[in-house]
Amino acid sequence: MSFFFVFLGSGTSQGVPIIGKEYPPEFLANPKNHRTRPSIYVDTAQVKLVVDTTPEFRLQVLREKICRLDAVLFTHSHADHVMGLDDCRRFCDLRGGALPIYANPATMADLRRVYQYAFCNPSVPRGYFNPEPHVVEGPFSLGDLEIIPLPLPHGTAGSTGYLFMQEGQKRMAYLNDCKEVPLAVAEQVQGVPVVVLDALRRTPHPTHMCLDEALTAARRIGAGRTYFTHLTHDYDHDAAQAELPAGVEFAYDGLRVEVS
């Protein structure tokens, strides 16, 4: 079974470095400390998809030389996750038609509002963004993947995590933008080979997991490998990585993870 994914972005909502802050030269010299907004690209033999389209989406796609997309999945509608969606117009052009968009009812309603010109256009000219909306209310299939949506607490809006299954086997769980991983979700993804978790910063935050909370979630899930994402400048990558237990890593932009 072929399955890999790439961290298109691993940063928090403001990215790293943030505007108007001075950083030590040695911090900026490490490319792993330059973090665009969080998104992943998933690739199997039968389907290519992304989860979220960040403000840097075009640059992320060019960097990774992605030339095909079969679908876009959304976790929620905060700006750092949706504001690159119009850049998918090029994929619509390459496909010669609409691009499937998957989101829960609340997120889809927000996408329809923000991108009203595309979702409410009965005849989209070639070369423009042409969405094919699919409201997520339960598991669904794309190519050789079964994808299970997982509700996560994230402020008042909530967020949707995803468990990716292939030929009946758990492959990867993406649990980003959440204050905690509820016990029912942790049990559902338990033993997955790879899990990606929100680990915003070292100190507690009202809507994201901090480092200690993410480490607790990682222990409960017991994945073979755990990656932390949605990272602020709290983490100087190499020094912070040295503090983590075996099997746990900080993600960085462009990191490719093969799941065997």
Side-chain angles (χ1 to χ4, degrees), residues 93-162:
D93 197 10
L94 291 168
R95 292 169 59 85
L99 178 64
I101 307 296
Y102 291 80
N104 70 19
T107 299
M108 189 66 76
D110 287 342
L111 293 173
R112 286 181 177 276
R113 175 177 52 82
V114 174
Y115 296 99
Q116 186 270 346
Y117 62 88
F119 280 89
C120 297
N121 190 345
S123 179
V124 179
R126 182 155 185 169
Y128 288 83
F129 176 45
N130 185 3
E132 179 186 287
H134 296 263
V135 175
V136 173
E137 296 184 295
F140 58 98
S141 296
L142 285 171
D144 54 352
L145 295 177
E146 181 186 6
I147 301 169
I148 300 172
L150 303 166
L152 300 171
H154 180 53
T156 58
S159 181
T160 300
Y162 293 101

Side-chain angles (χ1 to χ4, degrees), residues 214-232:
L215 286 167
T216 297
R219 287 192 294 270
R220 287 175 177 162
I221 292 167
R225 288 177 286 167
T226 298
Y227 294 90
F228 291 159
T229 192
H230 211 300
L231 309 172
T232 70

Side-chain angles (χ1 to χ4, degrees), residues 146-239:
E146 181 186 6
I147 301 169
I148 300 172
L150 303 166
L152 300 171
H154 180 53
T156 58
S159 181
T160 300
Y162 293 101
L163 172 62
F164 295 90
M165 307 275 294
Q166 195 177 34
E167 295 184 9
Q169 297 182 32
K170 298 174 184 177
R171 303 294 271 159
M172 186 265 286
Y174 188 68
L175 308 178
N176 196 24
D177 283 72
C178 58
K179 176 57 182 170
E180 66 174 346
V181 178
L183 182 58
V185 173
E187 290 175 347
Q188 194 165 1
V189 304
Q190 205 161 43
V192 69
V194 177
V195 67
V196 179
L197 298 174
D198 182 349
L200 183 72
R201 64 190 191 190
R202 294 181 183 275
T203 57
H205 185 275
T207 64
H208 291 269
M209 289 193 290
C210 67
L211 180 58
D212 284 346
E213 291 165 332
L215 286 167
T216 297
R219 287 192 294 270
R220 287 175 177 162
I221 292 167
R225 288 177 286 167
T226 298
Y227 294 90
F228 291 159
T229 192
H230 211 300
L231 309 172
T232 70
H233 54 218
D234 265 20
Y235 306 111
D236 187 338
H237 184 277
D238 294 351

